[in-house]
C-alpha cells in the first residue's frame, strides 16, 4: 500500500502526499464495533472538492471527511476510489477507513478564502459522513458549525441515524441558510438489508430518524435508493416502502435504480453469485450496456413510485431537489432527543 512510502519521497508516497500531506497515523482498534477496522488518520490540505464536469450529480462542490465506509454496502459506487490509494475496493473499502482528522479546521479556512463564493456544498455523496467512524472522530459537528457560521448552504445524504446527534446544529444552520437533509432507504426487506447493507442501521431505524428530524423542524426527504432489480423492485415491495416513507413524515421520496460502476460492479456480482446465483445471468443482460439500468427500467420504477407517492400523499421530487430544503422555524427539542446517539 502507498501508506508505507509516505515519508520516503518515492513515487507512491508522493502521490498520496499530494492528497493528504505526509502526516499519517494508522490505528487498528480492538473494540467490538471496530474489530478488524483500521483507521488511517490523515491531515488533508483541502476538503472542498469540485465535482467533475461530466458527473451526473446535481451539485458542484462536496466535502467528504472519510474515504472508505464501514456501512459495507456491496453496491457502493465509491469503491473504485479506494484503488487510487492502492487500497482494496472490496473488503479493504469496508475496513480501511481514511479519516481527515483536520477537516473542520480546513473547511473553515477554505470557506473564509476570498475566492470562495458561498456555493452549495453536498455531503454524504461519496461515502457516508455518518458511518460508524463518525461516532469516534466527531468531525461533522465542526463541519456543520463552520458552514453555519458562514451561512453557507449545504446538504447531507446519509444512511446513518447518528445524524440525530447533531440535530441542534442542523437547526441552527437552517435558521441562517438553506439546509437539505435526505435519508437513503431503498427497501424494507430485512433479509436483503442484512446481506447487502450489513453495516448500516436498519431501514426502520432510518425512517424513524426521518420522523425525528421532521418532528423537530428539519425537513427531510427520502432517497429511495437503490431499488435493486429482481430483489427489491416488485410492486408490493415498492408500495410498502413508499407507504413507510410517507408515514415517517418525509417531505419527498425520490427513487433511484441500482447502478454498478467499475469496482462496485465486481464486488456486487461476487455477492450476487454467493447469495442469488440464479440472478447472475439476468444482471449481466440488464447491465450489458454499462453502469446504469436501462432507461425503460428506470422509467418504470419512477412511474410506480410516483403513483404510490400520490396514493399516500407524499410528493416526489425532481433530480437534486431533495437536497435543497429550507427548514421551517423548529420547536425546542426534548432533552431525550438531544442525547440520542442511535
Amino acid at each position: 500500500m502507498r501508506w508505507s512510502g509516505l515519508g520516503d519521497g518515492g513515487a507512491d508516497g508522493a502521490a498520496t502526499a499530494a492528497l493528504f500531506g505526509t502526516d499519517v497515523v494508522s490505528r487498528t482498534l480492538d473494540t467490538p464495533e471496530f474489530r478488524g477496522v483500521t483507521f488511517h488518520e490523515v491531515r488533508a490540505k483541502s476538503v472542498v472538492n469540485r465535482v467533475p464536469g461530466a458527473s451526473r450529480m446535481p451539485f458542484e462542490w462536496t466535502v467528504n471527511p472519510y474515504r472508505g465506509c464501514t456501512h459495507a454496502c456491496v453496491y457502493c459506487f465509491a469503491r473504485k476510489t479506494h484503488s487510487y490509494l492502492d487500497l482494496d475496493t472490496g473488503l479493504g473499502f469496508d475496513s480501511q477507513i481514511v479519516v481527515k482528522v483536520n477537516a473542520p479546521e480546513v473547511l473553515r479556512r477554505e470557506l473564509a478564502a476570498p475566492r470562495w463564493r458561498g456555493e452549495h456544498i453536498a455531503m454524504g455523496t461519496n461515502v457516508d459522513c455518518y458511518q460508524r467512524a463518525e461516532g469516534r472522530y466527531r468531525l461533522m459537528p465542526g463541519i456543520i458549525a463552520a458552514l453555519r457560521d458562514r451561512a453557507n448552504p449545504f446538504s447531507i445524504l446519509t444512511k446513518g441515524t447518528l445524524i440525530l446527534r447533531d440535530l441542534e446544529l442542523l437547526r441552527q444552520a437552517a435558521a441562517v441558510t438553506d439546509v437539505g437533509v435526505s435519508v437513503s432507504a431503498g427497501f424494507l426487506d430485512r433479509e436483503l438489508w442484512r446481506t447487502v447493507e450489513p453495516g448500516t442501521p436498519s431501514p426502520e431505524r432510518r425512517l424513524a430518524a426521518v420522523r425525528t428530524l421532521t418532528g423537530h423542524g428539519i425537513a427531510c426527504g427520502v432517497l429511495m435508493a437503490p431499488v435493486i432489480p429482481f430483489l427489491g423492485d416488485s410492486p408490493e415491495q415498492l408500495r410498502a416502502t413508499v407507504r413507510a416513507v410517507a408515514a415517517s413524515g418525509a417531505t419527498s421520496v425520490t427513487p433511484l435504480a441500482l447502478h454498478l460502476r467499475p469496482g462496485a460492479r465486481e464486488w456486487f456480482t461476487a455477492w450476487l453469485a454467493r447469495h442469488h446465483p440464479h440472478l447472475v445471468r439476468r444482471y449481466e443482460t440488464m447491465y450489458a450496456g454499462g453502469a446504469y439500468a436501462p432507461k425503460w427500467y428506470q422509467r418504470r420504477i419512477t412511474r410506480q413510485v410516483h403513483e404510490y407517492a400520490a396514493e399516500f400523499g407524499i410528493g416526489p421530487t425532481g433530480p437534486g431537489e431533495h437536497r435543497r430544503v429550507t427548514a421551517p422555524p423548529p420547536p425546542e427539542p426534548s432533552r431525550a432527543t438531544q442525547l440520542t446517539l442511535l
Side-chain angles (χ1 to χ4, degrees):
M1 293 190 303
R2 290 178 176 171
W3 308 105
S4 61
L6 280 175
D8 61 12
D12 286 346
T16 306
L19 288 172
F20 302 123
T22 58
D23 184 12
V24 179
V25 176
S26 297
R27 304 182 190 278
T28 301
L29 307 180
D30 191 26
T31 56
E33 67 271 30
F34 294 125
R35 186 160 291 131
V37 178
T38 298
F39 295 107
H40 302 289
E41 300 174 358
V42 304
R43 301 193 65 80
K45 295 181 177 180
S46 174
V47 295
V48 179
N49 309 300
R50 183 186 287 274
V51 177
S55 171
R56 296 189 179 198
M57 299 299 183
F59 44 82
E60 190 174 357
W61 301 95
T62 64
V63 167
N64 296 297
Y66 302 98
R67 295 181 68 159
C69 187
T70 52
H71 280 172
C73 301
V74 297
Y75 52 74
C76 183
F77 74 88
R79 288 182 177 277
K80 180 66 175 176
T81 63
H82 247 37
S83 67
Y84 306 153
L85 299 176
D86 281 352
L87 292 170
D88 176 59
T89 59
L91 287 175
F93 181 82
D94 305 338
S95 62
Q96 301 283 329
I97 311 301
V98 178
V99 185
K100 302 174 188 178
V101 293
N102 62 336
E105 308 94 89
V106 174
L107 178 59
R108 280 191 178 274
R109 184 183 71 229
E110 292 183 291
L111 295 179
R115 65 181 177 275
W116 180 250
R117 301 304 180 193
E119 296 165 275
H120 180 96
I121 289 177
M123 293 177 283
T125 60
N126 189 36
V127 301
D128 204 315
C129 50
Y130 282 105
Q131 60 176 287
R132 281 181 292 149
E134 172 61 16
R136 170 179 171 82
Y137 287 97
R138 299 181 62 88
L139 300 180
M140 286 302 293
I143 288 171
I144 295 172
L147 292 162
R148 175 203 62 194
D149 292 349
R150 302 295 299 191
N152 200 106
F154 66 91
S155 60
I156 297 172
L157 171 64
T158 185
K159 288 184 174 75
T161 53
L162 186 59
I163 191 174
L164 297 180
R165 180 200 63 194
D166 297 337
L167 177 58
E168 178 58 27
L169 279 169
L170 291 170
R171 292 180 57 212
Q172 294 171 12
V176 298
T177 191
D178 288 343
V179 175
V181 177
S182 294
V183 168
S184 176
F187 48 84
L188 299 180
D189 187 297
R190 291 187 67 83
E191 186 59 34
L192 182 59
W193 158 63
R194 290 180 188 279
T195 58
V196 82
E197 300 172 343
T200 64
S202 70
E204 291 84 0
R205 288 179 62 198
R206 290 177 236 164
L207 294 181
V210 173
R211 189 174 298 109
T212 299
L213 288 163
T214 57
H216 289 87
I218 302 297
C220 183
V222 169
L223 184 63
M224 194 168 154
V227 175
I228 302 180
F230 317 122
L231 293 171
D233 65 348
S234 72
E236 295 77 16
Q237 289 171 309
L238 295 177
R239 186 174 185 272
T241 302
V242 174
R243 180 174 57 203
V245 170
S248 75
T251 57
S252 63
V253 57
T254 305
L256 183 66
L258 176 72
H259 59 275
L260 296 171
R261 299 182 190 176
R265 188 184 188 114
E266 296 82 359
W267 193 244
F268 180 87
T269 299
W271 171 86
L272 195 68
R274 291 194 304 273
H275 293 272
H276 306 280
H278 63 289
L279 292 178
V280 171
R281 181 57 185 160
R282 297 182 73 179
Y283 267 82
E284 290 173 349
T285 300
M286 173 166 276
Y287 289 90
Y292 293 87
K295 290 291 186 183
W296 64 263
Y297 179 83
Q298 296 183 50
R299 286 193 293 266
R300 192 195 85 191
I301 295 300
T302 298
R303 183 182 66 252
Q304 288 180 309
V305 168
H306 286 186
E307 289 173 356
Y308 298 138
E311 176 184 354
F312 294 112
I314 179 173
T317 66
E321 292 177 16
H322 60 285
R323 296 187 177 281
R324 296 174 173 83
V325 180
T326 303
E332 192 68 27
S334 67
R335 177 65 175 166
T337 298
Q338 294 180 44
L339 295 177
T340 298
L341 293 177
L342 296 177

